[in-house]
Amino acid sequence: MARNKIALIGAGNIGGTLAHLIGLKELGDVVMFDVFGGVAAGKALDIMQSSPVDGFDSAMSGGSDYSAIKDADVIIVTAGFPRMPGMSRDDLLTKNAGVMGQVAEGIKQYAPNAFVICITNPLDVMVWALQQKSGLPAHKVVGMAGVLDSSRFRLFLAQEFGVSVEDVTAFVLGGHGDTMVPLTRYSTVAGIPVPDLIKMGWTTQEKIDAIVARTANGGGEIVKLLEKGSAFYAPAASAVAMAESYLKDKKRVLPCAVMLNGEYGQKDFYVGVPVVIGKDGVEKVVEVEFLPEEKAAFDKSCDAVKKLVEDFKKLGV
Ligand code: APR
């Protein structure tokens, strides 16, 4: 059986990390595309030269010709510009809007049957633009944000409780921005919900509130430390988890930005909710019951995303 083909549009910090992880996990062959074709080709060659040491078989190539992505099974998009200190994700809208049009055109022409994962920020509006402009079915175009946000939440909870990250599950939904909604009620240690852990005296509400705030600002904390660019190891790992669930038909339940069609009382834009990812792409949207304050927080987050979609439309790109 032929190996899977995974195309990476954007060979910057996240793109390079994606290629390395895909190699180490032997998920398939990698084609990297970047406006700087030499960077894509150089990273592909460098990573492939690590394969005899690490023992993986994965052909990697890079360049700036869209035809190389032909018939890719999965495409992961990181093309565009990252944040610098002092910028919000939304500040990237104008810079990255034009990039999405070019990428959508390339995908539409060469790989219309691919499962497409967008990482470029501001995420919820960029993935929406990518789907609209490429014309691919919405269940095959998803945004990576929730896996990353919930991974950050899981880490901070595991550190607070002094337990393995493996035993912590977390639930984060809404837009990938300041209004994201980490739901403590559905976040657990080995199945025990966080509110119960507060009652058991393992932590306090104040500490959980601080963790929720740190999670919502998780990307910003890293931008400030790096001073030039934004997070890339955890975003790449998160997108690879989504790609793997699709390629292996694992049907993992992962929080992803997807097009809503009436679920949660919202429709016609992308926002983060839990979904099942399998061989057909987004196979199911998981709809949980909200408490009134949770619903209000989710709706507020949706409003922020919808406003950004309107701003995008006004750009006329
Ligand atoms: N087509 C293809 N590649 C492009 C284009 C384009 N039109 N415009 C820019 N690029 C490439 C750049 O040349 C660069 O190599 O995209 C790459 C982006 O890499 P980095 O600047 O290192 O950014 P990275 O950290 O990988 O983040 C990429 O993901 O998380 C988001 O906010 C982040 O929007 C940013 C994106």
Side-chain angles (χ1 to χ4, degrees), residues 30-291:
V30 174
V31 173
M32 298 172 89
F33 173 95
D34 200 286
V35 276
F36 297 110
V39 173
K43 288 193 179 184
L45 191 57
D46 187 12
I47 294 166
M48 215 170 26
Q49 287 171 0
S50 75
S51 66
V53 180
D54 279 319
F56 62 84
D57 289 296
S58 179
M60 300 206 180
S61 60
S64 54
D65 182 352
Y66 265 111
S67 65
I69 74 167
K70 193 172 183 331
D71 296 335
D73 300 291
V74 169
I75 298 179
I76 307 179
V77 179
T78 60
F81 300 88
R83 278 198 280 175
M84 295 297 159
M87 289 173 85
S88 77
R89 292 186 182 90
D90 298 358
D91 293 334
L92 293 171
L93 181 70
T94 325
K95 285 187 120 180
N96 288 342
V99 173
M100 273 319 103
Q102 296 166 20
V103 175
E105 201 49 52
I107 293 175
K108 184 179 174 180
Q109 187 175 354
Y110 291 107
N113 297 317
F115 179 59
V116 181
I117 301 168
C118 179
I119 304 184
T120 302
N121 276 312
L123 191 270
D124 306 275
V125 64
M126 288 299 138
V127 63
W128 169 84
L130 196 57
Q131 190 274 327
Q132 297 284 300
K133 289 177 182 292
S134 67
L136 265 64
H139 67 276
K140 297 290 283 293
V141 182
V142 297
M144 187 298 295
V147 177
L148 170 62
D149 295 330
S150 61
S151 183
R152 287 176 172 148
F153 196 25
R154 286 172 67 190
L155 172 70
F156 301 148
L157 289 172
Q159 289 175 332
E160 166 62 12
F161 295 126
V163 300
S164 166
V165 289
E166 282 190 76
D167 295 322
V168 180
T169 63
F171 199 106
V172 175
L173 73 179
H176 186 47
D178 305 337
T179 58
M180 75 176 73
V181 189
L183 280 195
T184 52
R185 215 159 50 89
Y186 288 114
S187 303
T188 74
V189 171
I192 308 166
V194 168
D196 290 10
L197 293 162
I198 297 174
K199 282 189 209 142
M200 287 156 62
W202 276 38
T203 186
T204 61
Q205 187 61 52
E206 291 69 35
K207 284 188 177 163
I208 295 299
D209 290 345
I211 287 174
V212 165
R214 189 177 178 197
T215 301
N217 185 43
E221 185 179 354
I222 289 173
V223 170
K224 207 167 160 204
L225 289 166
L226 294 180
E227 289 186 10
K228 43 177 192 228
S230 50
F232 50 100
Y233 294 111
S238 303
V240 167
M242 293 162 66
E244 191 172 13
S245 191
Y246 171 76
L247 289 169
K248 297 185 179 171
D249 192 24
K250 283 172 75 80
K251 304 200 189 295
R252 291 198 61 193
V253 182
L254 298 169
C256 304
V258 297
M259 178 80 92
L260 291 185
N261 187 22
E263 300 91 349
Y264 292 98
Q266 302 280 355
K267 66 188 295 197
D268 297 336
F269 67 99
Y270 274 73
V271 75
V273 292
V275 298
V276 176
I277 302 278
K279 67 176 183 345
D280 296 322
V282 177
E283 297 185 349
K284 186 183 176 73
V285 174
V286 181
E287 237 180 314
V288 296
E289 292 247 322
F290 283 146
L291 296 175

